[in-house]
Amino acid sequence: MAGSPNVVFVLGPPGSGKGTQCANIVKTFDFVHLSAGDLLRAERSTPGSEYGDLIEGHIRNGTIVPVEITCSLIEKAMKESGKNRFLIDGFPRNRDNLDGWQKQMGDKVKEVYVLLLSCTEEVATERCLKRGQAGSGRSDDNLESLKKRFQTYQKDTMPIIKYYEAKDMVRSIDANCNDKDAIFSEICKLFDEWKS
Ligand code: UDP
Ligand code: MG
C-alpha cells in the first residue's frame, strides 16, 4: 500500500445511521466507505466461501465474526480501492477485532479518529425494525436479533469506544433525531479539514 492510508472508524449502535451517513460523507469528502458488515454479508453470499455458514450464524446471533476473517476482507478492499482515505464502518466491535487489527494493520495505517454516532436503543430499534419491514432483506433486522446486537454493543463495543476515548480519539455526534441532513451538517463540521 502506497503511503500511510488514513482511517476513520465509524461506530455506534445498530440503526444509528452509520451506513447512511458514510454514504453522505463519501459524496462530499474524498473517502472510501468500507462497511465491515457489508463485506461480511458479501463474503457470506459468495458461492463456495468456506466462511458462509459461520458468518451467517454470527450475524443472526448478533455476535462478532473472528477478526482474521473481517480484517482480511477490509485489507483486501482497501488494497483494491487504490485510495488512501477510508471510513471503516462498524469495526472494531470488540477486543478481538481491535487486537487483530492492530496486529495486522497497526503499522500500515494512520488511525485518525472514531466517529461515534450515538443514539438510544429505542430510537435505533425502531429504525432497524422499519428497515426490516421495508424489505432490507437483512436476516438480523428482527426483534430477537436486535436484542442480541444491542447486548453485544453494550458489552463488547462500548469498551472499545472507551479505549479510544482515553486516547482522546472519539468525535461524538448525537444521532437521535430523524433529520438525517441535520446530523450530516454536524458531521461536516468535523470533516471540514478533509475538504478539497
Ligand atoms: N459483524 C461482525 N464484525 C464486524 C462487523 C459486523 O461480526 O466487524 C457482524 C455482526 O454479527 C453484526 C452484523 O455483522 O451484528 C451486522 O453488522 P452491521 O455493521 O452491518 O450492522 P449495524 O450495526 O450497522 O446494524
Ligand atoms: Mg451498517
Side-chain angles (χ1 to χ4, degrees), residues 12-15 18-19 35-38 40-41 55 58-66 70 74 89-93 97 128 131 138 140-141 149:
K18 301 184 292 292
S35 157
D38 287 352
L40 288 167
R41 282 183 285 272
I55 292 172
H58 281 290
I59 286 178
R60 272 181 198 268
N61 207 30
T63 47
I64 311 299
V65 173
T70 315
I74 294 172
D89 156 8
F91 180 93
R93 285 171 118 94
N97 277 181
C128 290
R131 183 168 75 184
R138 279 182 54 160
D140 58 352
D141 279 342
R149 288 159 71 191

